[in-house]
Amino acid sequence: MVIRLNRAQPYALGLFRVVIGFLFACHGAASLFGVLGGSMGGGTVPAGTWPGWYAAVIQLVGGTLVALGLGTRIAALISSGSMAYAYFKVHQPESLFPLQNGGEASAVFCWAFLLLVFTGPGAVALDRLFSSRGGSARASEPAPEKAQAVSV
């Protein structure tokens, strides 16, 4: 069973990445364009306002990049940082715990994106498509010599 789960891990991680990125992008689209119910019960965030408009741009662009698996680690790092900022600047002053201050989404997104920084995009990501093209050019190069293991 563990072997099957390990084989499926890159695909599960890829699916996790797509879902988290899509949900994050939806938050940005709602704030910027008023779709999906809009921002805070309707409407949009006024352009250029700090920090709401900038957070919405990070959500839309970062979420889209993460969902596609394009520049995943950098997009996830920026997205994670923006959610950490949102939690500590907006939610945490109200109360310490996310359940009490309404910061559950910020906390979960922050940690989910931080996980993607360290794990990478998983399977079926545009990052993999572009890296395989570069890898095929390197396939014609001679392989470096392998280090010999020395037993003591």
Side-chain angles (χ1 to χ4, degrees):
M1 171 108 164
V2 173
I3 293 171
R4 286 185 187 174
L5 290 174
N6 286 341
R7 285 184 188 154
Q9 184 177 2
Y11 299 100
L13 185 58
L15 181 60
F16 174 79
R17 171 187 49 80
V18 169
V19 170
I20 291 295
F22 174 73
L23 292 174
F24 200 58
C26 286
H27 277 276
S31 297
L32 291 174
F33 307 120
V35 297
L36 305 170
S39 175
M40 303 271 187
T44 61
V45 175
T49 58
W50 177 259
W53 186 82
Y54 294 95
V57 170
I58 290 171
Q59 290 168 354
L60 181 62
V61 174
T64 301
L65 289 173
V66 167
L68 293 173
L70 187 60
T72 303
R73 290 178 182 225
I74 292 172
L77 180 65
I78 293 168
S79 298
S80 177
S82 75
M83 288 295 97
Y85 177 86
Y87 182 78
F88 287 110
K89 190 69 175 174
V90 177
H91 299 286
Q92 195 272 330
E94 298 295 319
S95 176
L96 179 62
F97 296 107
L99 189 60
Q100 294 175 327
N101 63 27
E104 298 97 339
S106 296
V108 169
F109 276 127
C110 177
W111 286 104
F113 283 121
L114 190 61
L115 177 67
L116 289 172
V117 170
F118 289 97
T119 62
V124 193
L126 289 180
D127 283 341
R128 302 261 186 228
L129 176 68
F130 293 131
S131 67
S132 69
R133 285 185 185 169
S136 64
R138 287 185 229 135
S140 61
E141 296 176 10
E145 292 183 30
K146 293 183 180 177
Q148 296 293 325
V150 178
S151 61
V152 179

